[in-house]
Amino acid sequence: MSPIIISPELPPNDVLLLRNLADDLQRCQQDSGPSGKSSGRNEDQDSSVNGTPDHYISSSRDESDLTQMRAVNDPTNDDFEPTVFVSVDLRDLATRLHPIIYKHVLLPYIKWAQGIARHPRLHSENRPITSRMRLMLTSSSDVVMVTHLILYFTTSLPSAIWLFYHFTYLHGILHSAMQFYYVGTYTLMMHQHIHGGGVLRKQPWMIRLFDVAFPYITDPLMGHTWNTYYYHHVKHHHVEANGPDDLSSTIRYQRDDIWHFLHYVGRFYFLIWLDLPLYFLRKDRPVLALKTAFWELSNYATILTLFRLNSRPTFFVFLFPLMLLRAGLMVGNWGQHAFVDADEPDSDYRSSITLIDVPSNRYCFNDGYHTSHHLNPRRHWREHPTHLLANKRVYGAEHALVFHGIDYLELTARLLLHDYAHLAARLVPLGPRQLALTHDQRIALLKRCTRRFEEDEIAEKFGGGGVKGKGQENGNGKAGVEAKSR
C-alpha cells in the first residue's frame, strides 16, 4: 500500500490533518481491522455508523490536533496567525527576514492591512464578547487579500496600460506569463469574494466602494467576464450541485473519456453566453437571465471594440486570458466532480472530492476542500481542514473521497490517461471500509465512480431534479439528515 506523502510546502493545518489521517491508517494496518474483504462504496454502512467504535482513531490525538488547528484561526487566541502571503507562513518570516524589515516594515503593514481586510466571524459557541475579544476581532486573518490586490494593481494593471501605450511582442508574452502565474490565486480570491460579498471591510464607505468596483477592472485582465463567475457559480452551480440541471454537471459524461471531456469543455467554451441565460429563463428567473446576458455580451462587445481599435495589445491583455481561463475552469470542474457515487449521486460527500495538495491549498485558498465547500459554501476558507478533521467519521461513513499530493489539473489528466493506479496510490482512505481496501480494490472503486449516468437512471436517482445537495449543513454547522429542497 502506498504511503501518505506529506509535502513540507503544505500549509500547517494541512500537515496536521494529513499526519492525523496517516496515523489512522497506520493504526488500522497494525490492527486486524474489519473482517472480510471490502468492495468499497457499494457495501453497507461502516461499523462505526451501526454503533461499533472506530478502533483505529485516537480521540486524544484528534482533540489535540483540533485544538492546534482552531487556535491559529481564532483571533482571540494567542496563537492566532493571519495569512499575509500565500507562499509562506507568517511564523516562518521572522527567521527569513532581517529583523529591521520584519519589525518596521512587515508588522506595521499587517496592522494596517488588518484594518482593511474583513475579519472572521465569531465561532458559534455564543460566548460573551469581552473587551479582549473586541480588540482581537479587529485582527483579520485575510491580510493576504490586501496583499494580492496591491500586487495586481501595481503589476497587472500598469503592464496592461503600457501595452496599449507602447506595444512590443516581448512585453506581450511576458505579460501573458505573469497573468498565467497569477490567475489561479486570483480566481480563488474572487471565489471568496462572490461567496462572501467581498473581501474587504464594509466600512468606511470608500473601502466598500473599492471592494465592489475592483473586479470590474481586474476580472477582464485575468480572463473573467463581468459578473459571470458569480451568476454561474453561486446562482447556478451551487443551486444545482452537479445535478441534471447543472450546466457544468459531469453526470452525463464518462469522466475518463477524452471525447466526452472535449465535448464538456467545448460546450462551456462556446455556448455559456447562451446556455446560462436560458437556464435562468427555464427556472423562471428572468431578471437573472437579463443580467447574465447583459454583462456577458457587454464584455464581449468591449473586447471586440478594443480589438478593432488596437488588436495586438487587446489580444494579450484581454482575449488570450479569456481563452485560457475558460478552458481552465472546466478542466478544474471536471476534476472536482469526476467521481460520483451511483448509489447517492445527489450527496455532496459522494459527488465531490477533497484534495490535500500544495497548488490547491497553499496557493489557491484551500480550493482542494471541495466537499467541505459544497457542504457549506460560505465556510471561511481557513476553516476547511478543521471541518474535515472534526467530521472525519462522517466523511468515512459517507464514503467521501480524499486524495493527497495531486491537484485538479493533474487528476483530470490522469483520468483521461486511464492512470487509475496513480490515482489509487494518492487516495487517503477514510473509514473502515476504505481502510480495508487493497490497491486493486481502490482502482475498482474509482472506476465505478467515473461511469456516465443514463437518462432513466438520472430520473430515478434525482427524482425529477427537485432535491439536490444532500448532506449540506444546517445553520448549526452539522450535516443535515435530509436533503435541502431548493
Side-chain angles (χ1 to χ4, degrees):
M1 196 70 69
S2 301
I4 294 178
I5 301 172
I6 302 175
S7 169
E9 295 182 51
L10 284 169
N13 277 0
D14 277 26
V15 173
L16 271 175
L17 175 61
L18 264 186
R19 285 177 177 168
N20 183 287
L21 298 178
D23 183 61
D24 289 348
L25 177 59
Q26 184 178 19
R27 287 170 179 271
C28 185
Q29 290 174 342
Q30 290 173 349
D31 193 88
S32 58
S35 60
K37 293 185 178 181
S38 168
S39 61
R41 282 184 168 186
N42 290 332
E43 293 202 4
D44 294 335
Q45 288 186 318
D46 297 346
S47 59
S48 59
V49 177
N50 295 324
T52 304
D54 299 318
H55 59 279
Y56 55 88
I57 291 179
S58 170
S59 298
S60 60
R61 169 159 190 165
D62 284 2
E63 190 58 39
S64 174
D65 288 346
L66 282 170
T67 298
Q68 292 184 62
M69 294 169 77
R70 287 167 175 157
V72 297
N73 291 336
D74 186 353
T76 67
N77 194 291
D78 291 335
D79 292 329
F80 170 71
E81 181 179 327
T83 303
V84 183
F85 306 102
V86 294
S87 57
V88 63
D89 300 301
L90 181 60
R91 66 185 68 177
D92 297 324
L93 289 174
T95 56
R96 297 187 184 186
L97 294 178
H98 191 280
I100 294 178
I101 300 296
Y102 181 80
K103 182 178 180 180
H104 297 288
V105 177
L106 181 62
L107 293 185
Y109 164 72
I110 293 174
K111 183 177 180 180
W112 169 79
Q114 285 179 326
I116 298 174
R118 288 197 185 180
H119 59 74
R121 299 186 302 275
L122 279 172
H123 295 296
S124 59
E125 293 90 353
N126 295 321
R127 296 173 293 176
I129 300 179
T130 64
S131 58
R132 169 178 167 79
M133 291 174 71
R134 290 186 186 279
L135 176 64
M136 294 301 292
L137 282 173
T138 63
S139 302
S140 170
S141 62
D142 287 354
V143 172
V144 65
M145 304 298 181
V146 179
T147 302
H148 276 265
L149 284 172
I150 293 172
L151 176 67
Y152 303 138
F153 275 88
T154 57
T155 56
S156 295
L157 184 59
S159 176
I161 293 172
W162 188 256
L163 275 172
F164 277 93
Y165 179 74
H166 181 71
F167 176 84
T168 65
Y169 279 104
L170 177 60
H171 183 187
I173 293 171
L174 293 176
H175 177 85
S176 297
M178 177 179 66
Q179 297 302 93
F180 179 79
Y181 179 76
Y182 286 167
V183 68
T185 304
Y186 176 83
T187 296
L188 273 300
M189 183 186 79
M190 288 307 302
H191 186 246
Q192 309 309 312
H193 192 284
I194 62 178
H195 276 293
V199 294
L200 304 180
R201 290 183 184 268
K202 296 182 179 180
Q203 296 292 336
W205 69 268
M206 291 182 64
I207 298 297
R208 176 59 178 163
L209 178 62
F210 179 78
D211 197 23
V212 172
F214 82 79
Y216 292 94
I217 300 172
T218 52
D219 273 6
L221 299 178
M222 301 290 180
H224 290 274
T225 50
W226 293 318
N227 293 320
T228 300
Y229 193 20
Y230 170 75
Y231 292 126
H232 183 276
H233 185 75
V234 176
K235 294 298 186 179
H236 154 255
H237 176 62
H238 276 282
V239 171
E240 300 299 340
N242 202 53
D245 291 342
D246 190 339
L247 297 175
S248 54
S249 174
T250 58
I251 60 174
R252 290 184 172 91
Y253 295 92
Q254 179 68 32
R255 272 88 68 192
D256 59 4
D257 187 290
I258 183 65
W259 300 111
H260 283 225
F261 170 75
L262 291 175
H263 181 276
Y264 178 83
V265 174
R267 174 156 188 171
F268 178 86
Y269 206 91
F270 295 108
L271 294 177
I272 193 59
W273 64 273
L274 177 62
D275 280 346
L276 191 55
L278 290 178
Y279 161 83
F280 287 125
L281 288 176
R282 289 195 301 271
K283 297 296 180 177
D284 195 24
R285 307 190 74 179
V287 174
L288 281 180
L290 287 173
K291 287 181 177 180
T292 302
F294 169 77
W295 287 113
E296 185 78 357
L297 296 177
S298 63
N299 206 127
Y300 294 161
T302 301
I303 294 176
L304 178 60
T305 301
L306 289 173
F307 191 84
R308 291 172 66 99
L309 294 174
N310 200 341
S311 61
R312 293 181 299 175
T314 300
F315 174 81
F316 284 99
V317 173
F318 296 114
L319 192 54
F320 181 67
L322 174 64
M323 296 164 60
L324 190 66
L325 182 70
R326 285 286 160 101
L329 288 173
M330 286 298 98
V331 172
N333 197 78
W334 183 272
Q336 289 170 341
H337 297 282
F339 300 101
V340 182
D341 192 320
D343 289 343
E344 292 188 56
D346 60 340
S347 167
D348 288 323
Y349 291 103
R350 302 186 182 208
S351 64
S352 57
I353 63 174
T354 299
L355 304 184
I356 306 176
D357 71 292
V358 174
S360 302
N361 299 343
R362 163 64 73 181
Y363 295 97
C364 292
F365 304 107
N366 282 337
D367 186 44
Y369 293 91
H370 203 64
T371 300
S372 174
H373 174 60
H374 267 272
L375 289 169
N376 183 355
R378 292 182 66 85
R379 195 191 317 277
H380 190 268
W381 64 274
R382 292 190 12 153
E383 296 173 359
H384 289 308
T386 308
H387 164 78
L388 197 161
L389 181 55
N391 295 276
K392 67 179 181 181
R393 286 178 174 85
V394 178
Y395 274 67
E398 292 289 343
H399 307 296
L401 293 178
V402 177
F403 298 86
H404 75 284
I406 188 170
D407 60 43
Y408 293 116
L409 300 184
E410 183 186 351
L411 187 145
T412 296
R414 296 283 183 181
L415 270 178
L416 298 178
L417 292 171
H418 294 259
D419 191 359
Y420 283 98
H422 183 85
L423 295 173
R426 290 289 180 240
L427 187 68
V428 180
L430 296 179
R433 297 303 183 191
Q434 287 187 13
L435 284 163
L437 293 175
T438 65
H439 185 73
D440 288 341
Q441 287 172 331
R442 290 185 185 186
I443 292 175
L445 165 65
L446 296 179
K447 286 184 176 181
R448 284 199 300 272
C449 292
T450 58
R451 178 183 61 81
R452 70 177 297 185
F453 288 71
E454 301 298 334
E455 290 302 320
D456 57 345
E457 188 178 12
I458 291 172
E460 176 188 352
K461 297 293 184 180
F462 289 90
V467 179
K468 305 174 185 68
K470 186 175 180 181
Q472 287 186 342
E473 294 176 356
N474 57 32
N476 296 322
K478 304 296 183 181
V481 176
E482 299 295 334
K484 283 192 175 181
S485 298
R486 300 192 185 270

